[in-house]
Every structure is written in C-alpha cells, then in structure tokens.
Amino acid sequence: EAGVTQFPSHSVIEKGQTVTLRCDPISGHDNLYWYRRVMGKEIKFLLHFVKESKQDESGMPNNRFLAERTGGTYSTLKVQPAELEDSGVYFCASSTQGYEQYFGPGTRLTVT
Amino acid sequence: AQSVTQPDIHITVSEGASLELRCNYSYGATPYLFWYVQSPGQGLQLLLKYFSGDTLVQGIKGFEAEFKRSQSSFNLRKPSVHWSDAAEYFCAVGAPNGNKLVFGAGTILRVKS
C-alpha cells in the first residue's frame, strides 16, 4: 500500500510568487490534514478535510493560503503571494477514522 | 487549550544505553497520545499511540511509553539505543474526535558510539 505522497519535495520561490503544494493521501482515507513546521518551531495544524469538505481550518494563518480537495482525493495548498515567513516544511497526513494519522515526507518551502 | 511540552531539545546518549524522552501534556480530558519519529530526509513515522486501557504501550523499533495521568506525562523509553535511532522525536496529543494533533517542539536524539 502506497503511503502519503507530497509534491514537490522542495520548492524555492521569491517573495510575492505563488506556490502550489500537492498531497496524495493513502487510498481510501477520507481524512486529510495539513500541518506546517516553521524553522525551530513546533509542527502546527493548518486544516482538516473530511472527503472534500473542510472540517476545521482554524490553523490557516491568513487568506494568502488556500486549500482544496476536489473529489475527496488529492489536496492542494496554494500560497499566494508568498511571504518570507511562509518558509518551512509543510506536512500532509491522512487517516481513516482520524485517530491514527499517517504523514507524508513533507514539502520544504523556501521563500527568498 | 491543548499543549505539549518536550523539555529536552537535544539529548545525546551512548549506543547501547537506555533512553527516556520526556513529554508532558495539557488537556481537559483523557487525550489520545502519540509519539512520532522523523529520521533525516524522512517523513513522520508513528512509533506508538495511547488511546485507553493499559498505560504501558509498546511500539515499533523496541520503543515503549507509559501514560501517567497524575503527572500528565507520556514519556518514551527504550532500553538499549542503536545508532539508527538518531532522529527527531515528537510527542503529540489529539482529541478523541479525531481532529488535529498538537505537537511538542521535538527532541533531537544523538547517539554516540
């Protein structure tokens, strides 16, 4: 069984540009989560999808971040326009009933 | 609000020595507790979890953790550390409704030969 995959593994963009991160959850997992770890800080929750619906987006930092999960399969997280403080590692996780989350390898975003 | 404290940012142990990584949490009810490990260049891997029942839980790679309600702790232990255990370890707490996890800051484990 394939695990959670994320693309790209690393992205370097300039301030003001747009970046889209993609997450493919484990097949059959209705729950999909996005987390972020800024350098030296804790891993912080961003949002939670159940199928295609946003269950909880309380962790989204501001309206420059847009997450979608069309069709309840893969998800994208767009940052537009990117700021320096958006740099960090973005993790995606998926689960069936939500108790045990399986994480992807993360996307390292560097905004210069 | 939920919170997790991992008081040790870095720990160095000798190969073959025992290990204990500390984790304290703040939560209004009985939480779901997790330990994850991140090896260099890898994603987060679940080591073990506690939902209910026996307070001593066994995980993968020879790790175990003990839930102590009175101390609000969920410390991770391993009797004999291997060089391949060098990684960053995260304690996390989740609500029974299966939503977000709240993570500690992580503990970086270095293993010296």
Side-chain angles (χ1 to χ4, degrees):
Chain A
E1 176 184 273
V4 177
T5 57
Q6 294 186 244
F7 182 82
S9 58
H10 193 183
S11 179
V12 181
I13 61 171
E14 293 184 352
K15 176 182 173 180
Q17 290 185 323
T18 298
V19 64
T20 299
L21 313 181
R22 174 171 169 142
C23 168
D24 286 80
I26 294 172
S27 178
H29 282 195
D30 288 339
N31 293 276
L32 187 149
Y33 309 81
W34 283 99
Y35 294 85
R36 176 175 74 170
R37 189 183 194 193
V38 173
M39 180 75 72
K41 303 286 188 180
E42 296 92 343
I43 300 169
K44 294 279 194 182
F45 167 82
L46 295 178
L47 88 159
H48 170 205
F49 283 100
V50 177
K51 297 185 180 179
E52 66 274 10
S53 299
K54 292 176 184 176
Q55 179 80 6
D56 180 357
E57 52 184 327
S58 61
M60 294 289 265
N62 51 62
N63 59 10
R64 295 186 293 104
F65 289 75
L66 175 64
E68 295 180 323
R69 190 182 184 194
T70 306
T73 55
Y74 71 91
S75 174
T76 58
L77 180 65
K78 180 189 288 188
V79 185
Q80 179 182 29
E83 299 288 345
L84 297 179
E85 63 265 25
D86 300 332
S87 295
V89 180
Y90 290 76
F91 292 102
C92 176
S94 71
S95 71
T96 52
Q97 296 178 332
Y99 304 133
E100 190 169 321
Q101 297 181 22
Y102 296 86
F103 281 77
T107 293
R108 181 173 296 278
L109 174 65
T110 302
V111 182
T112 62
Chain B
Q2 302 169 32
S3 67
V4 177
T5 301
Q6 292 180 248
D8 303 306
I9 297 174
H10 296 97
I11 281 186
T12 300
V13 300
S14 298
E15 190 169 16
S18 63
L19 170 71
E20 183 170 32
L21 302 182
R22 295 182 290 165
C23 172
N24 291 93
Y25 67 89
S26 174
Y27 187 70
T30 300
Y32 287 2
L33 294 160
F34 306 84
W35 275 99
Y36 284 87
V37 61
Q38 185 179 25
S39 300
Q42 305 295 315
L44 294 166
Q45 182 182 23
L46 181 66
L47 281 176
L48 47 77
K49 60 186 181 289
Y50 173 78
F51 292 161
S52 64
D54 192 345
T55 57
L56 183 63
V57 293
Q58 303 297 320
I60 62 171
K61 303 184 180 185
F63 286 91
E64 66 177 27
E66 186 171 13
F67 169 58
K68 292 186 177 181
R69 184 189 304 273
S70 62
Q71 298 177 19
S72 297
S73 69
F74 189 56
N75 294 348
L76 181 71
R77 300 193 294 249
K78 186 170 185 177
S80 177
V81 169
H82 188 261
W83 63 267
S84 61
D85 293 323
E88 190 163 17
Y89 291 79
F90 297 92
C91 181
V93 62
N97 62 5
N99 288 336
K100 63 183 178 183
L101 296 178
V102 174
F103 284 85
T107 298
I108 296 173
L109 172 66
R110 297 193 179 102
V111 180
K112 60 182 181 180
S113 56

